[in-house]
Amino acid sequence: MREISMERVNQTREAILNIIESPSLTHEQKLTNLAGQADSLMEVLELPEGLDELLNAPIDRKCICDLSEGHAPMRPRYIVPDYAKFLKEGSSFLQLDPPTDLYEALNSLLIFYKHVPSVTNYPVYVGQLDELLEPFIDTVDEAQAKKLLKMFFTHVDRTVLDSFSHGNLGPKATKAGRLILEVETELENAIPNLTMKYEEGVTDDEFALKAIECALHSAKPSFANHKMFASELTENYVIASCYNGLKLGGGSYTLCRLILGNIAKRAKNIQDFKENQLPYVMDIMARYMDARIRFEVEESGFFENNFLAKEGFIHRDRFSAMYGLVGLADCVNILLEKEGKPGRFGHDEHANDLGVEIMDLIQAFNENHVNPYCEATGGHFLLHAQVGLAEDEHVTPGTRIPIGEEPEELIDQLRVLSRFHKYFPSGTGDIFPIDLTVHKNPEYILDIIKGSFKENLRYLSFYSSDSDVIRVTGYLVKRSEMEKLDKGMAVLQNTTGLGLGASKNGHILERKVR
């Protein structure tokens, strides 16, 4: 175990005291934050030389971000249980028999969720809900089914206090799916997040339009290009957390992110960035992730001892890891400025071409780096366009065009985005606030989805410009709850604080309305 400096100990003491004394954190949120402090203090890994200056630096110079996992993760960051197996077989550890009706199915799922860990201490995946509940939906009449679903989703919203929790629907229409959309349209809750897996010719228009109606009321579901995800991850994939494509019965050991704009600041010019600075930082981050993964698999005991693995709800060889990045736009703009060249990412073809060249370098590095415990994805990490943190300033999520610089025409924005979505099997996406008049013409959005997916866009999110529930980056919050927190009042859900930070630092309330 590495020796911890007194300066680090004192910083941690101060952070712990601030958490304990905070008037705006609930008891549950204090416990979660205190656990995070303990994780961050345990420096048991052999860390790559050079990591410290890249990781432990101010946000304007930090080049690698560990996304609050700590150096000794005691469980994988994202866990994706096979809930269908659970409903079919029950669980001996939880002392639950297979459910026989909708009452028992919903009750069993709520119990199971309490025992699915993640980096947030809440389940980041709550299941393919329409398929899970379809066998039970006709055990009660439709009115009773809707009442039970309302109670179920209200329970999740009030107890799974983090909107990185995510459920899936589709691509085929089901009665359960229809009722879920009707209920979520009425409830307008932030949790759980939802994604509809959409494929033209498989998902009928009526079902898709009902999902769009729900999205315009509650900012969910988002729409995933089912054909694209299935071709990369097989049909047994899920969308979890923000918009992360992962293997069912597996998950992601870890997620770190490159802050590309800050890496560009280190470079003399484009050539230096490509040949020296980017490869140097990529290598250190990959080896840091390797160390985390080795600890989880070989030392933490999670896969040997947790009931999820013992009962076959997860399998270690279905896990991979997510190699994330933010700030491609910032990176391109900084490099062009260093070269004395005009142009902005998202607007000028040579700027967009440079973005593609950078992504090709990152993809090539990832394809050449092998981790022995990422068998689920051929020994390689999955690239991920990370959405950002509350404290990010002047850091653009993933490969998005910066807020305030969106092209005037939506089609031009989509054309730029279509060049970058292909790189990210474990998640990327773009968000579009929609003008109120679209409520009268939801077919407009369906046409956007159909056309975009034909052009290999991966993931799209929409919400009404006047909705209380809004999509921040990949997660949802309520404007009304952010206003309470901004006044110093405690709020129920952890992600509200992230949303408030993003509204101030990331200007997420200033997106161009379409």
Side-chain angles (χ1 to χ4, degrees):
M1 184 179 296
R2 300 172 67 220
E3 186 175 335
I4 300 169
S5 69
M6 280 307 299
E7 180 184 7
R8 181 72 184 279
V9 170
N10 289 332
Q11 289 173 347
T12 302
R13 283 175 178 163
E14 183 178 354
I16 288 171
L17 189 60
N18 288 337
I19 292 167
I20 292 171
E21 294 179 348
S22 172
S24 61
L25 291 176
T26 66
H27 177 71
E28 185 84 17
Q29 290 162 358
K30 288 181 180 181
L31 292 177
T32 298
N33 290 343
L34 288 171
Q37 287 296 321
D39 264 354
S40 67
L41 199 59
M42 287 293 292
E43 298 188 0
V44 300
L45 304 182
E46 289 296 324
L47 302 177
E49 185 177 349
L51 175 66
D52 187 65
E53 68 156 333
L54 300 175
L55 180 68
N56 299 312
I59 189 61
D60 63 333
R61 297 199 304 274
K62 182 194 293 270
C63 294
I64 294 173
C65 178
D66 69 353
L67 291 167
S68 304
E69 287 184 23
H71 292 324
M74 61 182 178
R75 39 78 198 107
R77 182 181 182 93
Y78 299 135
I79 294 173
V80 179
D82 185 344
Y83 293 106
K85 175 182 172 67
F86 166 63
L87 291 184
K88 183 179 179 181
E89 300 176 7
S91 167
S92 59
F93 176 77
L94 297 178
Q95 303 173 52
L96 291 172
D97 293 327
T100 61
D101 59 24
L102 188 59
Y103 290 92
E104 293 177 355
L106 296 175
N107 185 59
S108 290
L109 286 172
L110 291 174
I111 293 170
F112 200 102
Y113 295 157
K114 300 289 187 184
H115 300 275
V116 180
S118 75
V119 69
T120 67
N121 295 319
Y122 299 105
V124 296
Y125 177 66
V126 294
Q128 180 79 29
L129 292 170
D130 51 354
E131 291 183 3
L132 290 174
L133 298 178
E134 186 70 7
F136 306 100
I137 205 73
D138 286 329
T139 58
V140 297
D141 63 44
E142 187 164 309
Q144 189 68 12
K146 285 190 70 172
K147 181 175 182 178
L148 290 170
L149 288 171
K150 278 188 177 181
M151 294 169 65
F152 170 79
F153 282 109
T154 300
H155 185 110
V156 171
D157 184 70
R158 306 304 194 272
T159 61
V160 178
L161 305 179
D162 190 290
S163 63
F164 293 113
S165 187
H166 208 126
N168 295 175
L169 305 171
K172 295 180 180 178
T174 58
K175 181 178 179 180
R178 173 176 62 82
L179 294 179
I180 288 169
L181 291 170
E182 290 176 6
V183 163
E184 285 287 57
T185 300
E186 295 173 24
L187 289 175
E188 298 187 20
N189 286 333
I191 301 172
N193 204 338
L194 289 174
T195 289
M196 171 172 278
K197 299 174 178 178
Y198 178 87
E199 183 176 352
E200 189 173 3
V202 177
T203 312
D204 66 52
D205 284 359
E206 182 181 358
F207 192 44
L209 289 169
K210 187 169 281 291
I212 291 167
E213 179 188 0
C214 185
L216 292 175
H217 282 86
S218 62
K220 59 182 173 182
S222 296
F223 297 85
N225 187 334
H226 177 64
K227 186 175 181 179
M228 190 176 190
F229 274 108
S231 70
E232 298 159 334
L233 299 174
T234 77
E235 292 275 345
N236 289 321
Y237 78 93
V238 312
I239 305 296
S241 188
C242 284
Y243 45 37
N244 309 345
L246 297 169
K247 292 273 188 136
L248 178 66
S252 178
Y253 297 113
T254 187
L255 164 61
C256 294
R257 63 175 188 163
L258 305 167
I259 304 179
L260 294 174
N262 289 344
I263 302 173
K265 292 176 186 176
R266 295 167 58 95
K268 298 174 185 176
N269 49 39
I270 292 174
Q271 182 178 359
D272 183 39
F273 175 83
K274 289 181 178 179
E275 295 179 1
N276 300 308
Q277 301 303 329
L278 181 61
Y280 171 73
V281 179
M282 285 194 298
D283 176 64
I284 289 178
M285 190 168 90
R287 289 189 287 120
Y288 179 41
M289 290 173 63
D290 287 342
R292 281 185 170 186
I293 294 166
R294 187 204 60 76
F295 178 81
E296 285 179 31
V297 175
E298 297 180 8
E299 296 187 46
S300 75
F302 178 83
F303 291 101
E304 291 80 15
N305 301 318
N306 191 276
F307 86 100
L308 294 171
K310 284 184 173 182
E311 297 188 27
F313 301 122
I314 60 171
H315 302 269
R316 195 208 55 74
D317 60 4
R318 296 184 193 174
F319 278 76
S320 188
M322 295 160 61
Y323 196 81
L325 60 90
V326 289
L328 180 66
D330 316 324
C331 177
V332 167
N333 294 339
I334 289 169
L335 291 174
L336 290 177
E337 186 177 339
K338 283 177 178 278
E339 297 274 358
K341 296 179 179 178
R344 300 287 290 177
F345 181 84
H347 293 270
D348 298 282
E349 200 62 22
H350 67 279
N352 300 335
D353 289 344
L354 177 56
V356 170
E357 290 172 25
I358 292 168
M359 283 309 312
D360 284 340
L361 289 172
I362 296 171
Q363 184 178 55
F365 172 85
N366 187 54
E367 288 175 349
N368 284 307
H369 182 85
V370 175
N371 181 284
Y373 295 120
C374 290
E375 308 101 299
T377 51
H380 306 295
F381 302 142
L382 291 168
L383 295 187
H384 175 74
Q386 204 269 331
V387 293
L389 298 176
E391 61 265 28
D392 283 349
E393 290 188 58
H394 312 297
V395 178
T396 304
T399 60
R400 292 178 189 167
I401 299 169
I403 291 172
E405 297 187 27
E406 301 96 334
E408 190 64 31
E409 297 299 326
L410 177 59
I411 186 65
D412 294 329
Q413 184 174 356
L414 292 171
R415 284 189 179 121
V416 174
L417 303 177
S418 69
R419 301 187 69 181
F420 297 97
H421 279 208
K422 65 182 180 180
Y423 293 102
F424 302 104
S426 73
T428 187
D430 285 273
I431 303 169
F432 304 97
I434 297 296
D435 186 83
L436 297 176
T437 56
V438 176
H439 281 276
K440 301 174 183 177
N441 184 24
E443 290 83 1
Y444 166 73
I445 294 178
L446 183 55
D447 286 343
I448 293 172
I449 294 168
K450 289 180 177 180
S452 297
F453 286 179
K454 287 176 182 175
E455 297 301 318
N456 290 325
L457 275 92
R458 183 181 295 278
Y459 195 87
L460 300 174
S461 302
F462 306 89
Y463 62 88
S464 176
S465 56
D466 73 334
S467 174
D468 186 29
V469 182
I470 62 168
R471 187 165 295 275
V472 177
T473 50
Y475 59 95
L476 310 177
V477 300
K478 287 189 173 184
R479 296 179 205 254
S480 56
E481 291 291 285
M482 288 196 295
E483 290 168 4
K484 288 181 187 176
L485 185 61
D486 200 27
K487 294 175 182 177
M489 301 166 63
V491 294
L492 192 61
Q493 293 156 354
N494 298 338
T495 30
T496 303
L498 303 182
L500 181 61
S503 71
K504 294 183 175 183
N505 296 328
H507 308 288
I508 53 110
L509 300 180
E510 300 169 27
R511 293 186 180 113
K512 187 174 182 62
V513 176
R514 298 297 185 177

